[in-house]
Amino acid sequence: MDLRQLQKEVARWIERTPEGYWPPLANLARLVEETGELARALNIGYGSKTLKPGEPPPCLAEEMGDLLFTLLVLANQTGVDLEQALIATLDRYERRRQSGGGSRNTETPRFLP
Amino acid sequence: MDLRQLQKEVARWIERTPEGYWPPLANLARLVEETGELARALNIGYGSKTLKPGEPPPCLAEEMGDLLFTLLVLANQTGVDLEQALIATLDRYERRRQSGGGSRNTETPRFLP
Amino acid sequence: MDLRQLQKEVARWIERTPEGYWPPLANLARLVEETGELARALNIGYGSKTLKPGEPPPCLAEEMGDLLFTLLVLANQTGVDLEQALIATLDRYERRRQSGGGSRNTETPRFLP
Amino acid sequence: MDLRQLQKEVARWIERTPEGYWPPLANLARLVEETGELARALNIGYGSKTLKPGEPPPCLAEEMGDLLFTLLVLANQTGVDLEQALIATLDRYERRRQSGGGSRNTETPRFLP
């Protein structure tokens, strides 16, 4: 399904709620909450966190879907076309890759002393 | 453009890099870095942060595109179809809305004493 | 109580656990999880989020204590003295304030076009 | 130095600025920005991120000091005593550890199917 269409779907969903859009910084707070839940799920699946006895295992797809939803809400309320934004990012990364940026420079210390 | 196709585009981009995929927790660290840049941009545009003299204004679309890119990388490496995940989120939110969850309960204190 | 002593207290606590220190990026994932919980609590107390019926109100102090705990774990495992780091931050901010940096520059557009 | 005193020091610093306290969600946005910078530094020092040629290596202590500063600002404006909050966290974690919570349960799948 078209990302632009999905973005419109999310707009329609918000417009059907009685409260409409939250202010951008409240939506950011929500994005951070969802990012935290994704971090927890990744730490359980690929890191060091363990579940407490009886705790249900997290669902990565659910956390990622929730995060993308909130990102699309923020895009809608700030007038960003997320599809175009992603394509611009891919272009920028490709130009950076071709110009050799980001390659490991083993001469450089990893931290300031 | 199809979100599923965009997700494949991101996979192809990563596969063309010499180092391939970072471990999931390193990609999470990158997602957090991008979230921080989006937070800064939103705080400048809709919050309290001001630019230092001469500092270029941030570009919201760029920060959102970068965040979505990293989310797609994480989805690829953990086997998540982000389009399907978003549609499941929309379904879940719709069911929750219809059952009346999440409505403001003015009887409940906002913080524990 | 001395921040340096509290930092040692956290080190002693970790050393008493059977698994010891998690890798830094797993502790970062945990820091992000705690930040997400604080974001949720602030969004409920000062933003737009509402509690579902029966959901207990969050406790800000608890979320902040958990976040500081994980920050101290990260400081311990990377050899940072957090008290000294905070004092250096206060000095740096004070110098920046006195040199006039960060003041609102109304001439600058808030976003790139 | 006493954490409670450091918290007062941060309050005095904010009170000397012309704009005073930002709203809590704007301070949260700043906390997220600082968390992102710490994530970047940890990803460079202990993860997969590399510096671009000529890019200065990050300073972990600086990022941690900045993060603690913003956490103390949030604590001040919401009436939280961070020292007491940390001690309560240590108590809670100790009780949880003694009751055996959080130990790895190898019977539980790491993700929902």
Side-chain angles (χ1 to χ4, degrees), chain D residues 51-71:
Chain D
L51 293 167
K52 288 173 214 153
E55 214 179 1
C59 174
L60 269 182
E62 194 175 307
E63 305 308 347
M64 290 187 187
D66 291 359
L67 182 49
L68 179 55
F69 177 88
T70 305
L71 182 58

Side-chain angles (χ1 to χ4, degrees), chain B residues 1-44:
Chain B
M1 203 173 165
D2 214 71
L3 177 51
R4 209 164 275 158
Q5 245 179 291
L6 288 166
Q7 184 163 350
K8 275 187 202 142
E9 204 58 57
V10 168
R12 268 194 293 274
W13 194 88
I14 292 289
E15 284 149 20
R16 279 201 311 272
T17 62
E19 75 252 47
Y21 281 94
W22 292 358
L25 292 192
N27 276 322
L28 173 66
R30 185 178 175 166
L31 186 85
V32 173
E33 183 186 346
E34 302 296 355
T35 304
E37 290 178 13
L38 178 57
R40 176 180 172 275
L42 288 167
N43 205 6
I44 291 169

Side-chain angles (χ1 to χ4, degrees), chain A residues 26 36 50 53 61 77 82 88 110:
Chain A
T50 53
Q77 77 175 162
L82 200 54
R110 300 202 114 195

